Amino acid sequence: MPNDTNVAPSDPALPPLPTAAYTRIDTHVWRASELTRGPWDMGHQHAGPPVALVCRAVEAVAREHGLTHLARLTANILRPVPIGDLIVEVMTDYVGRNAGHFSAHLMAHGKEVGRFTALAQREAEPALELPASLAGHPLPAAPRSPDESGPARFPFGHDHIGYANLVETRSAAGEFWHGPCAVWFRMSHPLVADEAPSPYQRVAVAADSGNGISGVLDFRRWSFVNADLTINFLRRPVGEWICLEARTCLGPAGTGLAESALYDEQGLVGRATQSLAVRSR
């Protein structure tokens, strides 16, 4: 089990929490709540929630073509995403027999803050009968299940509402901000008001935290922000709990890479990568 340093003290009294990360304002317009606040700036969102919001929009468009598996989602974060109103627009680039390519824009204050591409696939019906002795199967599992993992909290955001209130976290291996570790995530609030998030959206909310949970530098002295996130799914996730088994590697010129193996309670579901810009504060 994780040691006591993984368990955050009780939060001080906070104002009532918002009911969801986002509220619909119009067909393509969404208002972010304080639950989306990230660790780098009080006025900016953690990238996980807006990536999940775009994921939701892509899923909806792909379903219109009978494409129900999101195989890849790539987010290019062009600017910090402010806590405020966002516009999400999805374009269908090409749809073939078994796969479709999509792109999306995320807008705030009249500027494009994120640009996305996605690959969606048609799932086989009935499911394929794979050989029993297939190499690499059964799929790898997370180091511990959620029930076997102790509670853990991010070492930030204890005095204000933010991303740490959006998700519940449990440590399956290692500890926050001390190198490679594995952490289970479960959303404590909906992504969109009055709507249950899809398994893909649950992964997207968590996957952008790989560089944070596996950080190797002192958060108070260094920033290691990612300007992109790519998630590859090998299968449809299931359940509410998503585990990131993450590792950060740094280069000598202010660059780095965070890699995360992604699990649900049944085993591996995919991988995520983030390109890092490392700077002293």
Side-chain angles (χ1 to χ4, degrees), residues 23-266:
T23 302
R24 182 196 295 271
I25 302 300
D26 203 344
T27 304
H28 302 289
V29 183
W30 305 88
R31 180 159 297 161
S33 75
E34 295 93 333
L35 291 172
T36 65
R37 179 178 287 124
W40 306 111
D41 187 288
M42 288 288 288
H44 296 161
Q45 297 186 46
H46 186 288
V51 170
L53 187 66
V54 173
C55 175
R56 175 189 177 278
V58 170
E59 285 183 85
V61 174
R63 278 196 303 270
E64 296 175 0
H65 300 277
L67 306 173
T68 53
H69 173 58
L70 185 65
R72 178 188 53 78
L73 179 65
T74 296
N76 293 303
I77 309 301
L78 307 182
R79 298 177 175 86
V81 182
I83 299 176
D85 289 358
L86 301 176
I87 297 174
V88 179
E89 297 178 342
V90 178
M91 288 70 69
T92 301
D93 298 329
Y94 173 80
V95 174
R97 179 179 301 174
N98 293 309
H101 296 266
F102 303 89
S103 55
H105 299 291
L106 183 66
M107 309 289 294
H109 301 324
K111 295 181 179 180
E112 186 178 22
V113 296
R115 186 172 299 175
F116 299 74
T117 60
L119 170 66
Q121 294 176 321
R122 194 179 309 279
E123 295 176 286
E125 294 183 2
L128 301 180
E129 294 186 14
L130 300 174
S133 59
L134 196 64
H137 290 67
L139 293 171
R144 292 189 181 95
S145 71
D147 291 340
E148 297 169 326
S149 302
R153 285 295 302 275
F154 286 99
F156 59 80
H158 301 151
D159 58 350
H160 59 264
I161 297 173
Y163 179 79
N165 303 106
L166 178 64
V167 294
E168 175 188 355
T169 48
R170 297 184 183 181
S171 179
E175 59 180 289
F176 279 127
W177 306 89
H178 287 79
C181 69
V183 175
W184 286 100
F185 289 72
R186 179 168 66 177
M187 295 181 66
S188 303
H189 302 271
L191 179 70
V192 171
D194 302 319
E195 180 179 307
S198 76
Y200 296 107
Q201 293 158 37
R202 294 181 187 277
V203 172
V205 165
D208 188 67
S209 294
N211 64 321
I213 65 173
S214 67
V216 294
L217 294 171
D218 187 341
F219 172 75
R220 295 164 296 183
R221 298 178 55 198
W222 301 87
S223 68
F224 31 95
V225 181
N226 59 300
D228 72 345
L229 170 67
T230 293
I231 308 171
N232 288 97
F233 294 94
L234 69 92
R235 63 174 175 86
R236 176 188 296 275
V238 296
E240 295 184 345
W241 285 103
I242 300 298
C243 183
L244 272 62
E245 188 173 27
R247 175 185 301 270
T248 290
C249 296
L250 302 179
T255 57
L257 177 67
E259 303 173 279
S260 300
L262 308 172
Y263 304 90
D264 61 17
E265 293 188 74
Q266 296 183 6

